[in-house]
Amino acid sequence: MHAFSDSTTATSTAVQVPPSLSLPVIETAFPRQLHPYWPRLQEKTRAWLLEKRLMPADKVEEHADGLCYTDLMAGYYMGAPDNVLQTIADFSAWFFAWDDRHDRDIVHHRPAAWRRLRFRLHAALDSPEDHLHHQDPLVAGFADSVGRLYAFLPGTWNARFARHFHLVIEAYDQEFRNRVEGRIPTVEEYLELRRLTFAHSIWTDLLEPSAGTELPDSVRNHPSFRRAALLSQDFAAWYNDLCSFPKEVAGAEVHNLGISLIAHKGLTLEETVAEVRRRVEECVADFLVAEREVLRFADSLADGTPRGREISAAVRACAGNMRNWFSSVYWFHHESGRYRVDSWDDRSTPPYVTNEAAGEL
């Protein structure tokens, strides 16, 4: 089918969504929004990738805009101040570059390089100012983006973000070991690990600087807020698995919900696609229920005090962006060159990565 996505890329065209990946409910019930800062965001993140040497100049020129990394963030964090959105977009672009290095370290059998990077990222997370000029561009770029994120909210938010990202780094290490050993996690193991490698808590944490307020623990931990946030992130992770299934099978991956279902539940390829799709659609339906609950919760926080009004408005802003995540993720997967496996010369080697022996610094 053809879906007119109001593409944010330079040449706005109709995007063809394969029937197996089409979700009419997203296209009709989740209108796509785009932060007005987006054109400048794309330009500045492209320049940041060059400045921090996270992608070679030729790769940036040929692929950066088509990868749509800034489109993804500009469709998610609506209402964020421009400088907050810029920092989030740079951090997101770094995350994709890190994910690519992780993949290449596995493909090229570089466990020592990965181990060094892992420890350096842990160190940079705790003291970004000490790693701004690190010789490894991934460490320096991480330190730069994290240091900027730390400037927006109090130290309590920074400590929480750091605690959550330390877990993400360790989850990436677990994925590294699984792939090196050819170990396919069970469905239950995979779902738990995926919530870490997809960085569910990180993207949820970043809703707060976008809303301009650190939420109290009692608000963030409220069942309605937690459920809506989890469903928005699970949708994104599992829809990513559905869309990246061909790419990851071609790359001899072991980390994909579909791969775990085939290996441990004995499903056929057709049954697997149907099951992942069912889970994705269930996330959408459940979110529509959870959304109403979190908005009622937001209303209950407006107790007539200035602080109550502030927190209520922030929860509403966060809930609105949880909703935006559905359309932003959906269209990203059909516009980004990251998932166009059929157009690659080598289905196991993305054209936007640096495939030589990197990461040995």
Side-chain angles (χ1 to χ4, degrees):
M1 67 175 290
H2 287 278
F4 291 89
S5 67
D6 298 323
S7 171
T8 54
T9 52
T11 55
S12 182
T13 58
V15 176
Q16 187 172 7
V17 181
S20 63
L21 302 177
S22 172
L23 297 174
V25 65
I26 298 296
E27 298 176 25
T28 58
F30 291 78
R32 189 179 192 182
Q33 300 192 65
L34 188 70
H35 198 290
Y37 181 67
W38 173 78
R40 184 68 173 144
L41 183 73
Q42 185 182 55
E43 175 187 335
K44 292 192 73 172
T45 294
R46 191 192 314 123
W48 187 79
L49 286 168
L50 282 171
E51 176 193 345
K52 298 302 177 185
R53 298 179 294 122
L54 291 168
M55 291 176 68
D58 61 330
K59 300 284 187 185
V60 171
E61 177 67 26
E62 185 175 358
H63 298 290
D65 289 354
L67 289 169
C68 300
Y69 296 160
T70 54
D71 302 48
L72 178 63
M73 295 297 111
Y76 184 16
Y77 296 103
M78 294 296 296
D82 292 354
N83 62 332
V84 172
L85 182 62
Q86 184 65 64
T87 303
I88 292 173
D90 291 349
F91 171 76
S92 172
W94 172 86
F95 203 113
F96 281 110
W98 177 49
D99 188 73
D100 292 337
R101 170 81 74 82
H102 177 261
D103 177 70
R104 293 298 95 184
D105 279 350
I106 294 166
V107 168
H108 294 298
H109 310 290
R110 300 192 297 249
W114 163 250
R115 186 166 54 252
R116 283 194 295 272
L117 177 59
R118 171 189 163 206
F119 292 141
R120 288 166 175 172
L121 293 179
H122 278 305
L125 185 57
D126 290 333
S127 57
E129 66 282 357
D130 295 334
H131 295 80
L132 292 172
H133 305 290
H134 197 280
Q135 59 180 336
D136 186 333
L138 266 182
V139 177
F142 181 62
D144 177 82
S145 59
V146 167
R148 289 156 58 200
L149 287 173
Y150 284 174
F152 296 128
L153 290 178
T156 46
W157 184 91
N158 298 346
R160 177 178 13 120
F161 180 93
R163 185 169 66 252
H164 288 161
F165 206 84
H166 281 303
L167 295 175
V168 172
I169 295 169
E170 288 306 293
Y172 261 70
D173 184 58
Q174 180 63 57
E175 179 178 337
F176 189 101
R177 286 181 278 127
N178 286 348
R179 287 181 62 186
V180 167
E181 297 166 7
R183 180 182 179 275
I184 300 173
T186 67
V187 173
E188 293 72 22
E189 289 172 333
Y190 175 77
L191 293 176
E192 182 179 351
L193 187 61
R194 183 62 163 144
R195 287 170 175 165
L196 290 169
T197 58
F198 197 83
H200 281 31
S201 294
I202 294 300
W203 307 118
T204 301
D205 285 341
L206 290 170
L207 292 169
E208 293 169 75
S210 299
T213 302
E214 181 186 19
L215 296 175
D217 289 348
S218 60
V219 172
R220 288 189 305 101
N221 293 325
H222 191 275
S224 65
F225 189 91
R226 289 175 63 88
R227 179 159 174 75
L230 179 63
L231 286 165
S232 74
Q233 293 297 317
D234 275 349
F235 165 82
W238 300 345
Y239 192 68
N240 175 269
D241 280 2
L242 190 62
C243 293
S244 62
F245 196 32
K247 167 178 176 277
E248 294 180 345
V249 169
E253 260 277 17
V254 298
H255 270 248
N256 184 290
L257 178 54
I259 294 171
S260 287
L261 285 166
I262 289 172
H264 295 287
K265 301 296 184 182
L267 272 59
T268 65
L269 180 61
E270 294 76 13
E271 290 169 338
T272 296
V273 171
E275 173 60 15
V276 178
R277 182 184 173 91
R278 184 194 67 77
R279 290 174 184 243
V280 166
E281 291 174 334
E282 193 173 72
C283 276
V284 180
D286 289 347
F287 176 80
L288 292 172
V289 175
E291 180 183 40
R292 293 193 292 271
E293 294 173 355
V294 77
L295 291 176
R296 283 196 294 270
F297 172 55
D299 288 344
S300 74
L301 295 169
D303 58 4
T305 66
R307 179 60 172 164
R309 286 193 296 271
E310 177 190 11
I311 296 300
S312 175
V315 170
R316 281 192 160 272
C318 290
N321 282 333
M322 291 172 195
R323 160 175 275 272
N324 288 337
W325 195 222
F326 287 83
S327 59
S328 193
V329 163
Y330 181 77
W331 291 115
F332 169 71
H333 280 87
H334 302 298
E335 294 174 349
S336 174
R338 195 171 178 88
Y339 304 100
R340 294 179 189 153
V341 181
D342 292 338
S343 68
W344 301 352
D345 293 335
D346 177 354
R347 290 171 64 88
S348 66
T349 305
Y352 47 83
V353 302
T354 301
N355 201 43
E356 60 266 16
E360 298 292 352
L361 296 171

